[in-house]
Amino acid sequence: MKIYTKTGDKGTTALFGGTRVPKHHIRIDSYGTVDELNSHIGLIRDQEIDGHHKNILTHIQNKLFTVGAILATDPEKAVLKNGKERLNIEKITSADVELLEEEMDTMNDALPPMTHFVLPGGHQTVSFCHIARCVCRRAERLASALNELDPFEANALKYLNRLSDYLFVLARKLSHDLQANEIKWIPEKT
């Protein structure tokens, strides 16, 4: 299989199902940003962190491929007129969202209460988490805009929302584990 197909040389690409759209289409931007997020999560996973977090991050990366597939699918090609699915696309389930919530609850139990916003940084690994969190929020904004135009599976959008929260809590947990300084944001008085 060749990597280059030359089919996109005129600025279009194919969705899952075969429909061609411009490469700047919001659907492409949505799943492209999810792909970018997945790469940032891979960078976090490559850091010196404990095995449990690495395993959860690998699980998340797999789920992000599912989210990307959902976003990359032409809804008209995914379902036949009788309502049956034409394309076999994995779903994001409520259990996938609940896993992120359970992980956040466990990490929060080991952390001091948060009394202020914190400035991103303190350690390179923590900074990678904050970058991933911001990319996740962008992916969520794009997916939300796409969902208004062309609704898709609700759990996929919910997953992105919960994942950005998870990445914030993971940044705090890694700050704690790495004994990095967590700098509180205290607005300057003028």
Side-chain angles (χ1 to χ4, degrees):
M1 178 177 144
K2 285 189 176 185
I3 296 299
Y4 61 92
T5 62
K6 301 181 184 181
T7 58
D9 289 352
K10 293 183 180 175
T12 65
T13 193
L15 299 176
F16 192 41
T19 304
R20 294 202 69 81
V21 296
K23 289 188 176 187
H24 60 271
H25 191 281
I26 189 168
R27 186 171 291 285
I28 308 306
D29 210 9
S30 295
Y31 75 73
T33 305
V34 169
D35 187 36
E36 180 185 350
L37 169 61
N38 208 334
S39 296
H40 282 290
I41 289 175
L43 184 60
I44 299 166
R45 189 174 45 82
D46 289 342
Q47 303 305 302
E48 294 298 320
I49 60 175
D50 79 41
H52 176 75
H53 293 310
K54 285 185 183 221
N55 289 337
I56 294 297
L57 290 170
T58 300
H59 179 79
I60 289 168
Q61 286 186 289
N62 279 290
K63 292 302 170 183
L64 286 176
F65 266 94
T66 300
V67 171
I70 291 165
L71 297 175
T73 301
D74 178 351
E76 291 182 15
K77 299 283 177 95
V79 179
L80 297 171
K81 290 184 180 171
N82 64 5
K84 291 188 179 179
E85 289 188 22
R86 175 183 299 168
L87 304 173
N88 186 18
I89 302 167
E90 187 180 337
K91 305 288 185 220
I92 296 294
T93 67
S94 57
D96 296 324
V97 175
E98 289 165 7
L99 174 67
L100 295 176
E101 293 170 349
E102 291 165 6
E103 287 296 315
M104 282 187 279
D105 292 343
T106 300
M107 288 188 287
N108 267 327
D109 287 344
L111 295 171
M114 197 172 129
T115 58
H116 293 80
F117 287 111
V118 294
L119 299 179
H123 189 282
Q124 182 173 332
T125 303
V126 174
S127 294
F128 291 150
C129 282
H130 284 291
I131 291 167
R133 173 185 55 80
C134 292
V135 173
C136 188
R137 285 288 187 213
R138 178 163 33 97
E140 181 187 11
R141 289 189 302 271
L142 289 165
S144 175
L146 173 62
N147 191 55
E148 275 190 16
L149 298 172
D150 214 351
F152 54 84
E153 179 186 336
N155 279 332
L157 194 55
K158 191 182 288 188
Y159 191 81
L160 290 173
N161 182 38
R162 211 66 87 250
L163 180 56
S164 62
D165 295 334
Y166 167 86
L167 291 166
F168 176 77
V169 177
L170 180 62
R172 290 199 69 225
K173 179 70 168 84
L174 292 176
S175 286
H176 181 266
D177 293 352
L178 297 165
Q179 299 177 344
N181 189 21
E182 197 172 67
I183 301 171
K184 296 176 182 176
W185 176 64
I186 301 171
E188 295 177 9
K189 295 183 180 181
T190 55

